[in-house]
Structure formats: C-alpha cells, structure tokens
Amino acid sequence: DGGITQSPKYLFRKEGQNVTLSCEQNLNHDAMYWYRQDPGQGLRLIYYSQIVNDFQKGDIAEGYSVSREKKESFPLTVTSAQKNPTAFYLCASSVGTGQTYEQYFGPGTRLTVT
Amino acid sequence: AQSVTQLDSHVSVSEGTPVLLRCNYSSSYSPSLFWYVQHPNKGLQLLLKYTSAATLVKGINGFEAEFKKSETSFHLTKPSAHMSDAAEYFCVVSGRDGATNKLIFGTGTLLAVQP
C-alpha cells in the first residue's frame, strides 16, 4: 500500500530543544517537500528536495534544517533558532517538479513547543 | 509571479444543496491548478487538477471545477452537499521558483454542512 508516513502524529518539546520530524515515502517519487500550516495562512514551504543529496530552501527556511540521504526519506529538524515552532507540519512528495505534477501529502505531525 | 485568492474563508450549506467554493488566480503563463481537501488534523487529499486540457475538470466525490481564463477563475462546485464534505478546501496554482515549479496555496475555505 503506497503512501507517505509521518511520525509521530503529536510531538511535545520544551523550548530550546531541537526536534526531528520523520517523513518516509514508498511511492518512488524523486521530489519531497516540507510545509508548515498555521490557522488561516494556508501552507508555507519550508524546504524541498528534487533528488537525493540535494535540497533547497523554501519561503520560510530559517530555523529549520533537512537532509536527503535516501530517496524515500526526508527528515526535518526544527532547531531552537526557530522563533515560533508550534504548528502543524506536512510532508509531501511528487514524481517530479514539473508544472503538472500534483503533490501527495502525509497525515502530518502536530508539534507543540512550550 | 503566480498567486491564488480564495474569496470566502467560510461557506455554510445545507445537506443536499449545491456547493460553490470560489478561487481566482494570477499567472504570467498558462497555469496548472489544483483543488485539495483537508479534514481536521489530516493531510491534504487531491480532489482534481487542471493542466491545460479540458476546461471542465471532474474530480473525486462528485466535485468538479471549471477553468475560465477570461475570468481568471477556477471555482469548485458540487451539485449536492453531503455531511462528509465538511472540511477545509485549498485552491492551488503551480508557480515557478527559478528552474523549479512549486505549489502556491490559497488560504483555504472552511466548508460547513448543516443537516
């Protein structure tokens, strides 16, 4: 059964701690993405990767880091430098980055930092 | 630059009545457009997409959308709402970021369905 998995579903951390969110896909997609969702703001792109060992900053990359060592995995680290990390984080993948390619989304991780 | 505007942040309909969720886009070239649905605390699911073929696009769960270039619109419709349609809906345009296409999301329309 192909798809995207994100774990955990809920994550709680203390301020000042780094935290890593997991994203795995078995769709054999080349491109993967991380978005942040806040109420009333739609989705904002954090980082994306078109191919293994390569990634680019999105619109709100400050305070985040990623790696892409394997095609199926694209973990996101929320560092202590991120000023407002509490949000719903969504991972997505697509066959490629052409204009007509839709993205497939995971179920999301809700991060709460106190 | 590409952008998308969802004209209503909240829409409420009665079960069995038509649904209309409005979306206008701006694009400097022929766009690809998408509608996604998100149920509470879930990921996004693709409802339908337009990629310069037929202007009337049919999607899942009885939804459809019509691409109107003259009006720069891509409104989502369904003839008869079901309780399970209650969710947030996002209109999305594919835009360019240098050599890469990326999705640009509207701010969402929350659809409530009353019994």
Side-chain angles (χ1 to χ4, degrees), chain B residues 40-61:
Chain B
N41 292 309
K42 302 289 187 184
L44 277 70
Q45 180 184 19
L46 180 70
L47 279 177
L48 50 82
K49 70 175 183 179
Y50 166 78
T51 57
S52 77
T55 56
L56 182 62
V57 182
K58 293 188 183 300
I60 62 171
N61 301 335

Side-chain angles (χ1 to χ4, degrees), chain A residues 23-40:
Chain A
C23 176
E24 304 277 333
Q25 54 101 356
N26 61 4
L27 300 168
N28 200 33
H29 286 172
D30 283 322
M32 296 187 73
Y33 311 80
W34 273 106
Y35 292 91
R36 172 186 171 129
Q37 186 176 27
D38 297 282

Side-chain angles (χ1 to χ4, degrees), chain A residues 9-10 33 35 37 40-43 45 48 50 57 59 88 90 97-107 110, chain B residues 29-32 34 36 38 41-46 49 51 88 90 94 97 99-103 105-108:
Chain A
K9 188 172 177 64
Y10 299 96
Y33 311 80
Y35 292 91
Q37 186 176 27
Q41 295 194 43
L43 274 67
L45 183 64
Y48 63 97
Q50 298 180 76
K57 294 181 179 179
D59 300 318
F88 190 48
L90 288 159
T97 54
Q99 182 184 347
T100 62
Y101 293 129
E102 65 267 32
Q103 293 179 14
Y104 294 82
F105 286 82
R110 186 166 296 280
Chain B
Y29 57 90
S30 182
S32 291
F34 308 82
Y36 283 85
Q38 184 181 33
N41 292 309
K42 302 289 187 184
L44 277 70
Q45 180 184 19
L46 180 70
K49 70 175 183 179
T51 57
E88 190 157 24
F90 292 94
S94 180
D97 175 25
T100 302
N101 287 289
K102 65 176 186 179
L103 299 187
F105 287 78
T107 52

